[in-house]
Amino acid sequence: MAGRQSPAKSVFITGAAAGIGRAAALRFAAQGWFVGLYDVNAAAVGALAAELGPDRALAGALDVSDAQAFAQAVSEFVGAAGRLDLLINNAGVLLTGDFESHGPERYQWLIDINTRGVVNGCLAASPHLKPGSRVINMCSASALYGTPAFAVYSASKFFVRGLTEALNIEWQRRGILVMDLMPLFVATPMVAGVSDKPKSIDRLGVRLSAEDVAATLYSAATRSAALCPVHWPVGLQTQAVALLQKLTPSRLYRWSQKLITGY
């Protein structure tokens, strides 16, 4: 792999075994990108890499909460691809229910993946990013306003939002664009696997597919930098929620959150 010809562009994707990560991998590979497939589920990303072929993908096991492992994975990927044009920090986990329904160990698990994982990814990628490179962090509509039944998950996505906004400014001087995506509920194994389903999922519905999000990811990766917002609400429903949050007085928006979530 080290001697392979450098592709037109390359993308490193975390959480690539299923859902949004897998859909993004297929989308970018179809457009000629060399794709890095990384996930704790090594068998799944290995199978996807075999499906795409060695000239289009490289797979590896990765726990994003392990900074050293992340740095090594990115370095090995750049050695194979010859460059790093895009990092997609997609890996994430979800816990729902009343705040007290989970203990500190479970919340630490979520925080380590959803926040530390994004920090580790940005740090690991930074030495390899050149002018014109981009970083896209998977955020959430729950980062628009703290969301009942998703409290710690929502807080972790506020972290991602804040980091994205700061790095978007810091790394501008390096010619690197940092953005995030903010979808509402997406039809993925993560959402389908929720055992204590909050009322908001039923009331708002799951209207986005992983392919919808992958399409927005590709737009964020390829659109002219001058036309790229920092935050990308995915889908008309999410865009409407984002606009409502921006225009509605905080007390009224808080009331709408209570109405939607049943709290």
Side-chain angles (χ1 to χ4, degrees):
M1 292 294 295
R4 72 184 304 279
Q5 185 178 358
S6 179
K9 286 190 175 181
S10 72
V11 54
F12 186 107
I13 305 173
T14 66
I20 294 169
R22 177 184 172 86
L26 293 171
R27 162 77 65 152
F28 280 88
Q31 297 298 323
W33 291 54
F34 185 68
V35 181
L37 310 167
Y38 292 86
D39 199 282
V40 290
N41 188 339
V45 289
L48 180 55
E51 177 185 333
L52 294 175
D55 290 331
R56 300 171 72 190
L58 177 69
L62 176 61
D63 174 358
V64 297
S65 67
D66 185 333
Q68 183 175 354
F70 212 141
Q72 182 176 346
V74 171
S75 180
E76 290 175 353
F77 174 73
V78 174
R83 57 193 291 169
L84 178 61
D85 297 283
L86 174 63
L87 166 67
I88 299 178
N89 279 314
N90 169 69
V93 293
L94 174 66
L95 292 172
T96 61
D98 290 347
F99 177 70
E100 299 85 356
S101 60
H102 302 285
E105 296 82 7
R106 292 290 286 166
Y107 282 135
Q108 188 62 57
W109 167 74
L110 182 149
I111 291 166
D112 282 346
I113 295 171
N114 290 8
T115 64
R116 184 188 294 181
V118 177
V119 171
N120 289 344
C122 292
L123 286 171
S126 179
H128 306 285
L129 297 171
K130 307 298 182 184
S133 298
R134 301 185 181 191
V135 174
I136 303 176
N137 300 321
M138 189 55 60
C139 196
S140 166
S142 68
L144 296 171
Y145 195 94
T147 308
F150 295 82
V152 177
Y153 174 82
S154 178
S156 75
K157 295 304 182 178
F158 270 91
F159 178 97
V160 173
R161 175 176 180 160
L163 181 68
T164 299
E165 291 172 351
L167 291 184
N168 178 270
I169 296 172
E170 281 192 32
W171 287 3
Q172 183 179 22
R173 64 190 178 198
R174 297 174 54 190
I176 299 165
L177 186 58
V178 184
M179 299 168 284
D180 62 37
L181 262 64
M182 293 182 164
L184 263 169
F185 304 118
V186 184
T188 64
M190 184 174 76
V191 173
V194 171
S195 56
D196 183 14
K197 188 164 67 170
K199 292 180 180 179
S200 55
I201 294 180
D202 287 329
R203 291 177 177 177
L204 292 175
V206 180
R207 302 178 184 275
L208 292 172
S209 68
E211 290 72 25
D212 293 330
V213 182
T216 304
L217 276 169
Y218 190 75
S219 294
T222 57
R223 184 180 295 180
S224 170
L227 301 177
C228 285
V230 179
H231 307 298
W232 292 70
V234 184
L236 293 176
Q237 186 187 39
T238 317
Q239 292 166 18
V241 170
L243 182 62
L244 179 67
Q245 194 275 335
K246 185 180 294 185
L247 299 178
T248 304
S250 59
R251 183 181 295 273
L252 183 57
Y253 191 82
R254 179 179 181 275
W255 174 83
S256 73
Q257 283 287 85
K258 292 182 65 174
L259 184 66
I260 291 170
T261 59
Y263 277 82

